[in-house]
Amino acid sequence: MVICMKILKRLFRYKLTAIFMIIGQVIVLFTIFGALGVYNKAYNKENDRLRSLYKNVIQMQITASKKTDVIFGISNDVDKGNLIIKQKFSVAILELGKAYLCEVILKDNESLKYPLLSGRLPGKEKSNEVAVGKNKAKAAIKQGDDLFLTIEGEKYKIVGIIGSEVSDYWDDKLLLHMDSMGDSVKKALANQVLYAVELCSDSDIEEKIYSTVYGNIKSYDGDSSIEAVKVNSDKDSVLEQTLAKENLKINVIAYCFCILNCMVVSEFWILQRRKEYAIKKLLGMSDIRLIIDMMREIIEISLLSCCVFLVIYMVIGICGGLGVSITLRNILLVVGAEFIAVLGTMIYPMYKVLKNKESFKYI
């Protein structure tokens, strides 16, 4: 305790610059953790996206020549793989006041890629059922122990919450099943002209399965247009695109600005100590020893700044903010970024000493 007090007394013998350096270092740490939070969010979101992919997918863009019930017969005799409407179909939700894109399970022969936080996926019962992401669930009306949404004028029971504990990838999801849809949604689906349907599987998709789907569509609407493409998912990451959407550049710019600020403060730090350093040089202290002395003091201030930051961070964490998981990768990123910040703070003092400026020669 006595040693700590002596160190603090020595660090704060020039109070103003010490305080400004601590504030600068704390802000640097906040920008580092802010950027790390953005990176973690994008990284976890990308991992959830990759886990949602099937090994083999045939994407079909179906354009009906007229409004028919073609979509209701598309899964006849399909006994392998899953058939899912992935895009271009939206339903109106009364509680949210607008229409939202919806995915519809037409056929599920193998496990589906929708992670559940609670409940199950729709389709087991013939009554109106839906599974939703966390954002949709917030708007639901609670009746007893159950949650309900009004979709296309009909009440749907939320039987499952789709989501992830580490990202928001699934938070806006809305999922229906052909076997548990009400008449109003079926009518809206039948009135579609354009459908985006995926035949997906974690095993090879046999040609005859696609031929069956193709034949089903043509049997209902011979003049319909079908554009199909087979996608063999190699699960390539698009993390850079996800990061671009999360505005990581703002955090990086703030981090660079903070380092420049630390460099400016270090100049005032030198000016306040010029007499002290001049005396040390007159007494024979070499440039290397003087630099080591400066580095030690800057590192001590940086460590003190880390302690101040940790206290603030824990307080904010208790209040429910700045959640960053503790992993080896995150620790290395924080240590590396902080090292660069400390090095940036040292550059100007080292330059002054090595260039042997006049301010160090005389009192």
Side-chain angles (χ1 to χ4, degrees):
M1 187 67 180
V2 175
I3 296 174
C4 292
M5 293 303 296
K6 286 182 178 179
I7 293 173
L8 289 174
K9 187 176 180 179
R10 177 162 52 80
L11 293 179
F12 282 92
R13 65 188 186 278
Y14 302 101
K15 294 183 178 63
L16 191 60
T17 50
I19 291 170
F20 275 109
M21 285 192 75
I22 290 172
I23 292 172
Q25 288 288 337
V26 169
I27 294 173
V28 165
L29 286 165
F30 268 106
T31 60
I32 292 170
F33 271 70
L36 189 60
V38 171
Y39 179 83
N40 281 346
K41 180 181 177 182
Y43 180 82
N44 291 330
K45 189 171 184 177
E46 179 60 13
N47 280 342
D48 280 339
R49 186 192 71 83
L50 292 174
R51 281 192 285 267
S52 74
L53 300 178
Y54 291 85
K55 290 182 180 178
N56 294 289
V57 177
I58 295 178
Q59 297 174 340
M60 293 173 280
Q61 298 289 330
I62 305 166
T63 305
S65 63
K66 54 186 176 180
K67 293 180 180 180
T68 66
D69 56 355
V70 60
I71 202 68
F72 297 100
I74 192 174
S75 62
N76 291 343
D77 300 321
V78 175
D79 56 4
K80 292 184 180 179
N82 299 327
L83 270 172
I84 305 170
I85 296 177
K86 281 285 188 178
Q87 297 177 7
K88 304 186 186 302
F89 176 58
S90 59
V91 291
I93 301 177
L94 178 65
E95 288 78 9
L96 292 169
K98 60 185 292 188
Y100 287 88
L101 285 173
C102 173
E103 294 186 9
V104 180
I105 302 167
L106 301 174
K107 190 77 171 182
D108 51 325
N109 293 303
E110 59 184 74
S111 60
L112 294 157
K113 300 281 188 173
Y114 301 99
L116 288 165
L117 293 174
S118 62
R120 59 176 175 81
L121 297 178
K124 285 191 175 182
E125 304 292 337
K126 296 300 180 182
S127 57
N128 295 2
E129 296 181 340
V130 64
V132 299
K134 288 182 283 188
N135 289 342
K136 299 290 191 299
K138 291 176 184 177
I141 304 300
K142 189 170 184 179
Q143 294 182 4
D145 294 330
D146 298 321
L147 295 174
F148 292 89
L149 284 176
T150 307
I151 302 174
E152 294 292 336
E154 293 182 318
K155 185 180 290 185
Y156 278 73
K157 179 182 177 181
I158 296 177
V159 295
I161 306 296
I162 302 170
S164 167
E165 296 288 356
V166 296
S167 85
D168 59 357
Y169 181 75
W170 300 98
D171 286 2
D172 290 308
K173 187 64 63 181
L174 184 65
L175 179 66
L176 294 169
H177 196 291
M178 182 66 78
D179 294 339
S180 58
M181 291 195 315
D183 292 336
S184 295
V185 175
K186 287 182 178 179
K187 183 178 179 181
L189 190 58
N191 287 334
Q192 289 276 117
V193 175
L194 185 63
Y195 302 95
V197 178
E198 288 188 4
L199 174 59
C200 41
S201 175
D202 278 331
S203 58
D204 291 334
I205 299 175
E206 298 176 10
E207 186 65 31
K208 67 176 184 179
I209 297 298
Y210 173 70
S211 298
T212 299
V213 175
Y214 184 89
N216 289 338
I217 297 168
K218 287 297 184 179
S219 67
Y220 278 83
D221 185 356
D223 295 325
S224 61
S225 171
I226 305 170
E227 296 179 13
V229 58
K230 187 172 183 179
V231 180
N232 294 315
S233 173
D234 52 9
K235 296 197 172 184
D236 285 339
S237 175
V238 291
L239 181 59
E240 291 183 2
Q241 298 176 23
T242 308
L243 282 172
K245 295 177 182 178
E246 300 291 345
N247 293 322
L248 182 63
K249 290 180 180 179
I250 295 174
N251 297 81
V252 174
I253 291 170
Y255 171 70
C256 294
F257 176 80
C258 288
I259 292 178
L260 291 174
N261 180 67
C262 288
M263 294 174 71
V264 172
V265 173
S266 71
E267 181 173 1
F268 291 97
W269 187 78
I270 282 287
L271 289 174
Q272 277 198 324
R273 289 161 174 78
R274 66 186 184 278
K275 290 185 178 181
E276 178 183 324
Y277 293 146
I279 291 172
K280 288 181 178 180
K281 287 186 71 69
L282 286 173
L283 293 174
M285 181 177 280
S286 66
D287 288 346
I288 297 300
R289 283 193 61 191
L290 192 58
I291 288 173
I292 291 172
D293 190 57
M294 291 177 178
M295 289 174 63
R296 184 192 65 188
E297 193 164 337
I298 291 173
I299 289 171
E300 287 174 347
I301 288 177
S302 298
L303 290 174
L304 180 59
S305 302
C306 288
C307 293
V308 173
F309 169 77
L310 287 173
V311 172
I312 298 172
Y313 184 83
M314 285 188 289
V315 171
I316 295 175
I318 292 170
C319 297
L322 284 178
V324 176
S325 56
I326 299 175
T327 64
L328 179 60
R329 175 176 57 85
N330 289 350
I331 291 171
L332 292 175
L333 285 170
V334 171
V335 171
E338 176 62 11
F339 174 78
I340 293 171
V342 173
L343 187 63
T345 306
M346 292 180 180
I347 287 175
Y348 185 76
M350 291 172 64
Y351 168 80
K352 293 282 284 186
V353 173
L354 293 174
K355 287 297 182 179
N356 202 23
K357 295 294 183 181
E358 294 296 321
S359 58
F360 291 126
K361 287 184 177 181
Y362 309 105
I363 300 175

